[in-house]
Amino acid sequence: MTTSSGKFVGIDVAKDKLDVAVLGEKKASQVGNDEGGIGKLIKKLQALNPELIVVEATGGYQRAVVLGLYEAGLPVAVVNPTRVRQYARASGLLAKTDKLDAFNLAEFGKQMKPRRFEAKSEAGRDISALLVRRRQLEEMLKAEKSRLRTVPPKMRGSVERMIETLKEEIKRLEKDLDQFMKENEEWQAQEQILTSAKGVGRITATTLLAELPELGKLDRKKIAALVGLAPMNADSGKKRGYRKTKGGRVEVRNVLYMSTLVATRFNPLIQAQYQELLRRGKVKKVALTACMRKFLTILNAMMRDKAPFRQTDIA
């Protein structure tokens, strides 16, 4: 077993290039953000054998290099750019260039030790792509429906045709999703576990499986924090501030919100908690967020135990 060199590497990602900095070295290097450049980078980093490589999430441009590093067996972490920029400001680094950003990422990795990236399976990537495209089409459909209310009469036909086209494309994607489930027994079994809870449909279940692979593997506090449903304290001295949830995986939180909304009407366990919170004077938004957290905890336990929903599930 080989040991790491103790080196920390930061990679600033742009559409066409990668700026690479090794903590302790004076100069950063640069390679193309393409197959050839990533291949050269992997060979260089394999020789260096770093303790951690930190890459900033940049709207998808980082995917190829992150997956390449991961598949080469190199330790890589993908970090939120806001966190890294806040760290830079706290460190007194106000200047910003691609090379400085790369060094800052390396320093961030050394001091903060971000969680290592774990790649989705090929099936997971396929299902994620289907779900992302479906969300995009849903957003386009919503926009077209809004335009229909204000568009001049002569343009209504164009908007209506686009609405029908989008609806048909969404149906095609849902058929692809059905086919995927038929061909993947493991995913189908997991989906059946999740959809046994009233309020969870196919889209929610597949989104949880694809975008929250940690479901069933973490305790309830960690899974809530990962989704952005853990209430954060805001206390100072004698003041006790209003607790808020923030951060987390937006796409997971969005589908969980809709599922919980349905569950407050049709799932006896969630419905009971929601009504109790309202009776105690909680506003609807706060009560619903608390129910989302409880629902996620239940789904997490179901996946952990590989057991369908039971009305008595509480952890």
Side-chain angles (χ1 to χ4, degrees):
M1 178 178 172
T2 59
T3 57
S4 76
S5 62
K7 296 283 188 180
F8 289 84
V9 178
I11 301 177
D12 184 78
V13 180
K15 180 180 178 181
D16 301 315
K17 64 184 179 69
L18 304 169
D19 286 281
V20 184
V22 179
L23 200 61
E25 296 185 2
K26 292 183 178 181
K27 292 184 179 180
S29 58
Q30 190 178 95
V31 297
N33 190 3
D34 52 31
E35 187 175 352
I38 292 170
K40 290 178 183 177
L41 178 62
I42 288 171
K43 289 181 180 179
K44 177 182 176 181
L45 293 179
Q46 283 176 328
L48 182 64
N49 193 24
E51 186 169 331
L52 186 65
I53 304 160
V54 182
V55 183
E56 195 174 67
T58 53
Y61 291 130
Q62 82 286 354
R63 286 177 188 152
V65 66
V66 169
L67 195 58
L69 293 168
Y70 176 84
E71 291 177 345
L74 290 161
V76 59
V78 182
V79 297
N80 186 308
T82 302
R83 284 189 65 198
V84 179
R85 196 64 202 146
Q86 288 172 342
Y87 175 83
R89 290 195 186 102
S91 303
L93 182 61
L94 302 180
K96 189 181 189 308
T97 68
D98 293 341
K99 288 181 172 57
L100 284 175
D101 286 349
F103 277 109
N104 186 52
L105 284 164
E107 180 67 33
F108 180 89
K110 180 179 180 181
Q111 300 300 333
M112 305 306 294
K113 301 292 193 302
R115 185 168 56 90
R116 291 188 181 188
F117 170 80
E118 291 185 19
K120 297 175 184 177
S121 64
E122 185 177 351
R125 293 196 293 273
D126 289 344
I127 203 77
S128 286
L130 277 171
L131 291 168
V132 167
R133 185 56 184 158
R134 186 184 182 279
R135 285 196 297 270
Q136 291 169 345
L137 293 174
E138 288 281 7
E139 289 169 6
M140 292 163 66
L141 180 59
K142 184 178 178 181
E144 288 298 293
K145 285 181 175 179
S146 295
R147 290 188 186 101
L148 195 59
R149 302 190 192 104
T150 57
V151 75
K154 289 184 178 180
M155 291 294 103
R156 285 186 65 88
S158 173
V159 177
E160 287 170 347
R161 286 193 297 274
M162 182 58 71
I163 287 172
E164 289 306 310
T165 299
L166 289 168
K167 285 181 178 179
E168 287 301 315
E169 189 59 29
I170 289 170
K171 285 181 183 177
R172 275 193 286 271
L173 285 174
E174 288 175 347
K175 286 181 181 178
D176 290 343
L177 196 58
D178 289 341
Q179 188 62 34
F180 175 91
M181 284 300 178
K182 288 177 183 177
E183 294 172 356
N184 291 268
E185 292 182 3
E186 184 180 353
W187 280 71
Q188 192 175 56
Q190 292 175 332
E191 182 202 28
Q192 288 172 354
I193 291 171
L194 290 172
T195 54
S196 68
K198 288 184 179 179
V200 179
R202 162 154 286 179
I203 298 302
T204 298
T206 50
T207 300
L208 288 170
L209 292 172
E211 308 298 344
L212 192 64
E214 299 88 349
L215 193 67
K217 301 173 185 175
L218 300 178
D219 64 40
R220 60 184 182 180
K221 290 183 179 179
K222 288 180 179 177
I223 203 73
L226 207 56
V227 177
L229 289 173
M232 303 295 179
N233 294 347
D235 301 336
S236 180
K238 294 182 179 180
K239 178 187 174 184
R240 292 295 176 266
Y242 186 73
R243 270 66 173 160
K244 293 182 180 179
T245 58
K246 59 178 72 174
R249 298 180 188 175
V250 177
E251 63 279 4
V252 174
R253 198 163 59 250
N254 286 345
V255 296
L256 190 62
Y257 172 85
M258 296 306 299
S259 288
T260 307
L261 204 58
V262 174
T264 59
R265 296 181 59 196
F266 300 108
N267 187 306
L269 200 59
I270 301 302
Q271 184 183 46
Q273 186 192 24
Y274 184 65
Q275 294 300 328
E276 173 62 18
L277 290 169
L278 293 181
R279 187 188 65 78
R280 285 160 47 187
K282 300 292 185 183
V283 298
K284 288 184 177 181
K285 184 177 179 180
V286 172
L288 190 59
T289 301
C291 288
M292 286 172 66
R293 188 162 56 249
K294 184 176 184 67
F295 205 11
L296 178 62
T297 296
I298 292 170
L299 297 174
N300 189 54
M302 288 162 55
M303 290 297 291
R304 179 196 66 207
D305 300 337
K306 295 181 174 57
F309 177 85
R310 300 185 301 273
Q311 190 169 330
T312 54
D313 282 331
I314 58 171

